[in-house]
Amino acid sequence: MPANLAALAYLIAGVCFIMALRGLSSPVSARRGNVFGIAGMIIAVLTTLADPGVVGYELIAVALLVGGAIGTFVALRIQMTAMPQLVAAFHSLVGMAAVLVATAALYNPAAYGIGSAGDIRLASLIEMSLGVAIGAVTFSGSVVAFAKLQGIVGGSPVVFPGQHWLNLALGLAILAAAAAFCAEQSTGAFWVMTALAFVVGVLVIVPIGGADMPVVISMLNSYSGWAAAGIGFTLENTALIITGALVGSSGAILSYIMCRAMNRSFISVILGGFGGEGAGPAAGAADKSAKPGSAEDAAFILKNAGSVIIVPGYGMAVAQAQHAVREMADALARNGVRVRYAIHPVAGRMPGHMNVLLAEANVPYDEVFELDDINSDFRTTDVAYVIGANDITNPAAKSDPQSPIYGMPILDVELAGTVLFVKRSLAPGYAGIDNALFYRGNTMMLFGDAKKVTEAIVKAL
């Protein structure tokens, strides 16, 4: 394919990717955004395959078949509750791809048109250094995030004295190894830089506590984008540079938005310096008693309400209760009750987790509101139905300076006339702290599986 035609095709692919991000910014246009993304990827892949410098189509075909088969298998079997760890696993693959491409370019630079062994262009050496460092951090950090989310390792923060100073020292050592690599083209310096970056990836994620994992997923998404951009520079592939920059920048913007929603420092997130606080003191569960209720009690309260706000959380995802929730909302609407949904920016374990679940249940988009748009309405709402959400409704975020979630904006469900809280037990949430809302006078606890409890309420209605 002529160079000018290839450049034009890559430009069209880049525009499609921009339109994809634009579409994905709203649930209403998300399907259209996905179509644009698929179209852009098809154009980019076909353009790359048409390049005269591409050889070994047999190996490419085998790789596509193997990768496609694995992807199809995973897509068909994965549960919505496992989407956060799946995303983390995908991020790790992008990071490792960056490391492997940089390694291949180091040992066979002529194949990439960046010089010869021992005589690689300085600009290419810098690009390789950035690509391998960011890629290695992304890979090992994503693996740790996956292990935490999957429950392979504990979700509690892992901290030790001098942790931040160690991270700083390793960061400076990576810069020194990169400088040595660029100056001498030493393979030893390259592998030292790579190994140190793998270690840093682990160290910046292990101190992250469970409540902050959604921000981690978002930031790793950004890292994977910059790693892909680094690959693009090494391969001199315009589409990959554009795609990586779009993912990297949009991921960073999303992380910044989520940091504001959690009252976290954006710089601390990048450096892995947050989430390591110990859990605050429990809310004195031993000295307080929760008021349990039945599905019939909840149905009576809901049916006689004028307005209801449903607050979904990770417990809804675990129980796959979104369809039952939609049935309950429809039954209430038929009785003249106004029903809306309140979504916290970090509900679940990845950005948009609850929105996807509600969309799967065909919940109308105009009934779903973000925290800033609906939080002031709780004060005039008859009933708040909290299903599996814990930390994002915990008043300790406003009242307990010792709490690890202190300062995080929460959904003010305690201001509603009655709070119906669906939960299996009084156990603390992912942040590891007790929720004082359980023991408020206007709270009724509905203990049990979220789906079964909601289905029982629907039956009672």
Side-chain angles (χ1 to χ4, degrees):
M1 178 181 290
N4 290 339
L5 185 58
L8 177 61
Y10 281 143
L11 178 60
I12 294 173
V15 172
C16 286
F17 294 141
I18 294 173
M19 295 299 294
L21 284 177
R22 179 68 183 87
L24 292 172
S25 65
S26 168
V28 179
S29 57
R31 289 181 181 271
R32 184 169 66 251
N34 273 317
V35 171
F36 274 114
I38 293 170
M41 187 56 66
I42 290 174
I43 293 171
V45 170
L46 293 179
T47 303
T48 301
L49 292 177
D51 190 303
V54 175
V55 295
Y57 286 102
E58 297 83 2
L59 290 175
I60 293 174
V62 171
L64 287 173
L65 288 173
V66 173
I70 295 173
T72 302
F73 176 79
V74 171
L76 292 175
R77 293 181 60 87
I78 196 70
Q79 297 293 325
M80 277 304 303
T81 52
M83 284 301 294
Q85 47 264 53
L86 178 66
V87 171
F90 283 165
H91 291 162
S92 72
L93 297 179
V94 177
M96 181 53 72
V99 174
L100 294 177
V101 169
T103 303
L106 172 64
Y107 286 96
N108 190 10
Y112 294 85
I114 59 175
S116 58
D119 189 27
I120 302 175
R121 297 196 303 262
L122 177 60
S124 298
L125 292 171
I126 296 174
E127 294 160 6
M128 291 163 59
S129 299
L130 290 173
V132 75
I134 298 174
V137 169
T138 303
F139 173 79
S140 56
S142 297
V143 169
V144 174
F146 170 84
K148 279 176 171 279
L149 291 167
Q150 188 66 18
I152 298 174
V153 300
S156 301
V158 178
V159 296
F160 52 86
Q163 191 168 29
H164 298 315
W165 289 109
L166 175 61
N167 289 344
L168 176 61
L170 290 175
L172 294 175
I174 290 174
L175 291 176
F181 171 65
C182 292
E184 305 172 6
Q185 301 189 25
S186 165
T187 56
F190 175 86
W191 287 115
V192 168
M193 173 178 59
T194 304
L196 291 176
F198 279 128
V199 174
V200 168
V202 174
L203 291 177
V204 297
I205 301 300
V206 292
I208 307 303
D212 298 316
M213 287 308 291
V215 187
V216 173
I217 295 295
S218 177
M219 184 53 66
L220 288 172
N221 177 58
S222 179
Y223 290 166
S224 70
W226 298 123
I231 299 174
F233 280 108
T234 301
L235 298 176
E236 297 184 348
N237 187 292
T238 306
L240 202 52
I241 296 172
I242 294 174
T243 306
L246 287 172
V247 173
S249 56
S250 61
I253 292 171
L254 177 60
S255 299
Y256 175 73
I257 293 173
M258 296 180 71
C259 284
R260 290 186 59 189
M262 298 183 68
N263 194 35
R264 301 297 190 188
S265 165
F266 181 67
I267 300 300
S268 293
V269 173
I270 296 175
L271 300 178
F274 75 101
E277 302 91 343
D287 302 324
K288 300 179 181 180
S289 59
K291 180 172 63 178
S294 65
E296 290 74 18
D297 296 331
F300 178 81
I301 294 172
L302 288 167
K303 191 172 182 177
N304 288 278
S307 61
V308 173
I309 296 180
I310 299 173
V311 180
Y314 187 67
M316 186 184 78
V318 172
Q320 290 289 284
Q322 61 270 25
H323 295 283
V325 169
R326 168 67 194 278
E327 288 182 40
M328 184 185 76
D330 290 344
L332 292 173
R334 287 193 294 269
N335 281 287
V337 181
R338 184 190 184 193
V339 180
R340 290 171 294 168
Y341 299 79
I343 306 296
H344 193 281
V346 294
R349 294 189 183 177
M350 64 179 290
H353 199 177
M354 296 300 104
N355 301 78
V356 173
L357 287 172
L358 295 178
E360 183 185 18
N362 295 316
V363 171
Y365 297 132
D366 58 359
E367 295 180 4
V368 181
F369 296 86
E370 300 297 327
L371 180 146
D372 292 336
D373 299 323
I374 200 171
N375 219 19
S376 60
D377 293 356
F378 281 104
R379 192 180 301 274
T380 56
T381 297
D382 296 319
V383 180
Y385 186 79
V386 184
I387 178 166
N390 197 336
D391 299 322
I392 61 173
T393 63
N394 194 336
K398 297 185 295 183
S399 60
D400 184 2
Q402 302 302 316
S403 172
I405 63 171
Y406 181 70
M408 181 181 84
I410 62 167
L411 289 164
D412 295 326
V413 297
E414 77 273 12
L415 300 179
T418 300
V419 179
L420 300 177
F421 211 119
V422 183
K423 204 171 183 294
R424 291 180 181 272
S425 69
L426 293 175
Y430 203 48
I433 56 175
D434 197 16
N435 191 343
L437 183 60
F438 298 161
Y439 317 105
R440 294 287 177 95
N442 64 332
T443 299
M444 176 184 289
M445 298 299 300
L446 303 173
F447 293 113
D449 176 84
K451 182 178 181 180
K452 292 180 180 179
V453 169
T454 306
E455 287 176 340
I457 292 175
V458 173
K459 184 178 179 180
L461 287 171

